Amino acid sequence: DPYYRNGYSNRGSSYCMQGKFDSAIADFNSCIRLPGNHFDAQLNRAIAYAQTQHPDLALEDFNRCVELEPGKTEAVMNRGILLLYLKQPEKALVDFNTGIRLNPDNPELYVQRSHAYFNLGKYREAFQDLQLVMNSGGKVDQSFYDQVKTSLNK
């Protein structure tokens, strides 16, 4: 019954917003066990796993989301953010580049890619991405921008 799926998914999202990640994961698990496409529940469970210090389970879910809906940027962007957290900037860069190909108007992808570039020591590329975001009216973290700019001038 799709109503049960929506109910579990909505309650799981509510638990996430309250910081009750274990309860959220339980509801997302119940949703995923039901028939149908579970992209949103899988994505939200991955985010909840990342918040509960289970990056391995989060990565599995993000990978599954990319398989389920390869054209959705949410999964590749969030997986890239997790990969940055896991100190894998090369893999994160691949995800951010994929996301930018899918959705070139999303400034958050450029901001995240700048973090990957920065972690790889590619300061010029990081600076260019931040400039692109700022020139299009987007916001960037000033302290990170200053850090990139300082590194660029060394």
Side-chain angles (χ1 to χ4, degrees), residues 1-27:
D1 185 344
Y3 295 111
Y4 288 129
R5 185 175 53 223
N6 290 339
Y8 285 126
S9 186
N10 290 340
R11 189 171 66 183
S13 294
S14 178
Y15 281 141
C16 276
M17 288 187 276
Q18 297 171 39
K20 298 177 181 178
F21 298 109
D22 290 330
S23 296
I25 290 166
D27 273 352

Side-chain angles (χ1 to χ4, degrees), residues 37-54:
N37 183 324
H38 304 294
F39 176 84
D40 290 331
Q42 198 101 38
L43 180 67
N44 288 328
R45 186 175 73 175
I47 292 167
Y49 275 140
Q51 295 297 317
T52 59
Q53 303 304 309
H54 293 287

Side-chain angles (χ1 to χ4, degrees), residues 60-113:
E60 284 178 29
D61 274 355
F62 285 135
N63 289 340
R64 181 73 180 123
C65 287
V66 171
E67 290 172 17
L68 284 170
E69 300 279 347
K72 290 199 174 182
T73 58
E74 300 97 328
V76 292
M77 182 173 76
N78 281 293
R79 184 174 66 183
I81 292 168
L82 178 64
L83 290 167
L84 278 178
Y85 171 78
L86 295 174
K87 309 271 190 263
Q88 297 179 34
E90 300 90 357
K91 291 180 180 179
L93 185 61
V94 171
D95 276 350
F96 299 136
N97 284 333
T98 299
I100 289 168
R101 275 194 306 279
L102 293 169
N103 187 359
D105 297 326
N106 184 337
E108 184 62 23
L109 287 162
Y110 294 93
V111 170
Q112 294 300 331
R113 186 172 73 175

